[in-house]
Amino acid sequence: MDEQRRRRYLEAMGIQVWEPRAGAQPGRKVTASETPRPAAEAPDAEAPVASLSWVELRARVAACTRCTLHQTRTQTVFGVGDPNARLMVIGEAPGADEDRAGEPFVGRAGQLLNAMLEAIGLAREQVYIANIVKCRPPGNRDPHADEAAACQPYLQRQIALLAPEVILAVGRVSAHNLLGTEEAVGRLRGRTHRFDPGDIPLIVTYHPAYLLRRPQDKAKAWQDLQAVYRLLHAESPEAG
Ligand code: URA
């Protein structure tokens, strides 16, 4: 793995990359004044979100108190996956399982999402998964507009850092926030949208939790996944 790629993986996993100091010699004892320093300076709490690295962004999110959801969360749920992923999956908000685990889509809906991805040849580890909001809304209610707005810069930065080739918006809350519309998912699916900034192709599909309640719509979700596959393989972008 090349050095740049290795660094991106480590950064996305929240691991600080340490630099040897200039002039360091292998085997030479390091004196107290020479103790290693992080490559980056200590994160600047005032730095704009749009300028943050993966590590800084993760730390900023973990400390976030921009909306009241921080009062009831166990922990923030930042996102997970390959920082070089070509596909970014964006859900709604962490549920109880995710709040406990600190990882998106780990419950039953997550298992179905994994199966949906596997169906187009993608392991969960090969994509990047995030949510519109990073903290669990109490009682699994939909996130309020002000909560989604407070979290928006974090998701925008994740998208900018990842620069995915395709975005898959799962569910109404995700589609509405990403596309700035209130149209029903049933009307948004079946075509390729564009996410701005970045002009990134975006496909809308049903939320896996909804599909667990309405398995008869899985065939439509399969069409949506096939549209994602075609976009990733540069075939005709139209959903079936
Ligand atoms: N539903 C979501 O939208 N996101 C999760 O992380 C879990 C369930």
Side-chain angles (χ1 to χ4, degrees), residues 22 70 73 77 81 104 112 131 182 199 216 218 229 238:
H70 80 274
R73 74 184 177 216
V77 177
L112 178 54
N131 282 312
E182 300 216 327
D199 197 32
Q216 59 270 42
K218 280 186 184 173
Y229 180 92
E238 294 315 309

Side-chain angles (χ1 to χ4, degrees), residues 91-95 98 104-105 109 131 207:
E92 171 182 327
E98 291 75 21
F105 283 104
N131 282 312
H207 195 285

Side-chain angles (χ1 to χ4, degrees), residues 88-94 104-105 113 128-134 143 155 168-171 173-175 177-178 207-208:
M88 182 170 195
V89 178
I90 304 180
E92 171 182 327
F105 283 104
L113 177 65
Y128 195 89
I129 307 175
N131 282 312
I132 295 292
V133 298
K134 314 298 187 213
L155 181 62
L168 176 65
V170 296
V173 170
S174 173
N177 278 281
L178 291 171
H207 195 285

Side-chain angles (χ1 to χ4, degrees), residues 154-226:
Y154 303 140
L155 181 62
Q156 293 271 3
R157 186 60 185 151
Q158 285 178 305
I159 295 170
L161 284 165
L162 193 68
E165 287 169 43
V166 181
I167 293 174
L168 176 65
V170 296
R172 176 178 48 82
V173 170
S174 173
H176 286 185
N177 278 281
L178 291 171
L179 295 174
T181 177
E182 300 216 327
E183 251 188 291
V185 169
R187 296 175 63 86
L188 291 169
R189 57 167 299 280
R191 57 196 154 113
T192 304
H193 303 266
R194 296 267 153 189
F195 175 80
D196 272 320
D199 197 32
I200 302 166
L202 183 152
I203 297 289
V204 174
T205 195
Y206 293 112
H207 195 285
Y210 166 87
L211 293 172
L212 288 170
R213 296 192 301 272
R214 263 188 78 89
Q216 59 270 42
D217 279 340
K218 280 186 184 173
K220 292 183 192 160
W222 170 231
Q223 289 171 358
D224 303 332
L225 268 291
Q226 286 177 293

